[in-house]
Amino acid sequence: LLWLGDRITQKGIGNGISLIIMAGIISTVPRMFIDAYTSLVSGASNTFIGVLSYGLFVIAYIAIIVGVIFMEMSERRIPIQYSNQTTSAYGARQTYIPFKLNSAGVMPVILASAVTSIISLIASLVKNDSFTLFVEKYLSFTTPVGFVIYILLIFVSGYFYTLIQANPEELSKNLSRNGGYIPGIRPGNETTVYVKNVLKRLALVGTTFLAVLAGMPIIFANISSLPTSVSIGGTGILIVVGVALETYKQLESSLVNRTYKGRR
């Protein structure tokens, strides 16, 4: 699979490994809808209520996909002005730095899951009854305390990952080195503080969205009597949407590049 993904990346469009992962996630969707239909419609005592429930399930699933697409395409644009340019020139275009609303992607959820999984693994290796009981009671997603800790880990991971990935100090230095500045903000320390504040607000919104998306399947499994294969939300949707949008952008860029070459 690694070799095949590498060949897709070299010869095709998009990231090969990401496309294979996306295909694996999408392949489970038909079975999930079939199981949901079987449980809600075929196994219901009232057919009308069963059809209505299934319709609401499909609408909720589509609404979540639309919401994920909206969040993935949303960005905060910080205008940039260069000392050797002017925006009042004829046909001048505004330069800006785009920051995605969810710049961390699924990494905070992966880190939070990894931390809890490592602790559970240690508990299974140590074989200490009190420690194992503590892990099952306070770190399991099915318990209220474990669920809250899982959400808090997502928030902490998303906050730090966003700041580390963007690196406001390095961004401020690069702007000063190239003669750029944010209008109304002094270069140097003020620019660093301003970018940090913007990233903190973006991290809060983006991580909240991630926490809701990651917590949906857990809450749905606890309050619903549907099979475990049926779920709403989850980071799988985020991965599929992210890969699909990135592949679409690469395909569009490739088509534009071919059109320009043809004109030459």
Side-chain angles (χ1 to χ4, degrees):
L1 285 175
L2 289 173
W3 174 83
L4 183 61
D6 184 62
R7 300 303 296 174
I8 293 173
T9 303
Q10 292 181 6
K11 302 292 184 179
I13 297 293
N15 184 279
I17 296 297
S18 299
L19 288 172
I20 292 173
I21 294 173
M22 183 183 71
I25 296 172
I26 293 176
S27 65
T28 63
V29 174
R31 171 51 57 187
M32 181 187 68
F33 279 100
I34 292 172
D35 291 343
Y37 181 85
T38 303
S39 300
L40 294 174
V41 180
S42 300
S45 57
N46 191 319
T47 306
F48 175 76
I49 296 177
V51 172
L52 182 62
S53 301
Y54 183 73
L56 291 175
F57 172 79
V58 174
I59 291 173
Y61 201 88
I62 294 174
I64 291 171
I65 294 175
V66 173
V68 171
I69 293 173
F70 177 78
M71 294 294 290
E72 280 293 294
M73 297 186 68
S74 299
E75 61 184 17
R76 170 75 160 85
R77 297 179 177 181
I78 298 179
I80 299 297
Q81 182 66 39
Y82 291 92
S83 57
N84 57 351
Q85 296 179 3
T86 175
T87 55
S88 61
Y90 296 105
R93 296 180 60 186
Q94 177 67 58
T95 305
Y96 59 85
I97 300 176
F99 289 111
K100 289 184 64 178
L101 189 59
N102 180 31
S103 58
V106 295
M107 191 55 66
V109 181
I110 294 174
L111 292 175
S113 301
V115 170
T116 54
S117 299
I118 290 172
I119 296 176
S120 300
L121 177 63
I122 293 173
S124 64
L125 294 175
V126 172
K127 295 181 179 180
N128 187 307
D129 293 338
S130 59
F131 183 64
T132 303
L133 183 63
F134 173 82
V135 171
E136 292 177 353
K137 187 175 181 181
Y138 294 106
L139 293 180
S140 176
F141 298 156
T142 56
T143 62
V145 178
F147 180 75
V148 171
I149 292 175
Y150 175 60
I151 297 299
L152 288 176
L153 285 173
I154 292 176
F155 271 98
V156 173
S157 302
Y159 177 80
F160 284 105
Y161 190 82
T162 300
L163 291 179
I164 291 173
Q165 189 181 34
N167 198 348
E169 294 182 0
E170 190 66 26
L171 177 63
S172 177
K173 289 180 182 179
N174 290 335
L175 281 176
S176 300
R177 194 179 298 117
N178 295 319
Y181 62 93
I182 300 173
I185 307 296
R186 291 183 179 180
N189 187 52
E190 287 192 15
T191 299
T192 303
V193 173
Y194 175 79
V195 174
K196 276 185 178 180
N197 291 332
V198 171
L199 289 174
K200 287 177 182 178
R201 291 192 290 268
L202 290 177
L204 177 62
V205 178
T207 310
T208 302
F209 157 73
L210 268 182
V212 171
L213 194 65
M216 273 185 181
I218 301 173
I219 297 174
F220 184 78
N222 290 329
I223 65 175
S224 172
S225 59
L226 294 174
T228 55
S229 60
V230 181
S231 178
I232 283 184
T235 53
I237 297 178
L238 185 64
I239 294 173
V240 170
V241 170
V243 174
L245 290 175
E246 188 64 30
T247 305
Y248 168 76
K249 290 177 183 178
Q250 290 190 22
L251 180 61
E252 187 180 36
S253 176
S254 177
L255 291 174
V256 171
N257 188 31
R258 290 181 183 181
T259 301
Y260 281 125
K261 285 183 178 180
R263 289 179 180 178
R264 292 199 193 101

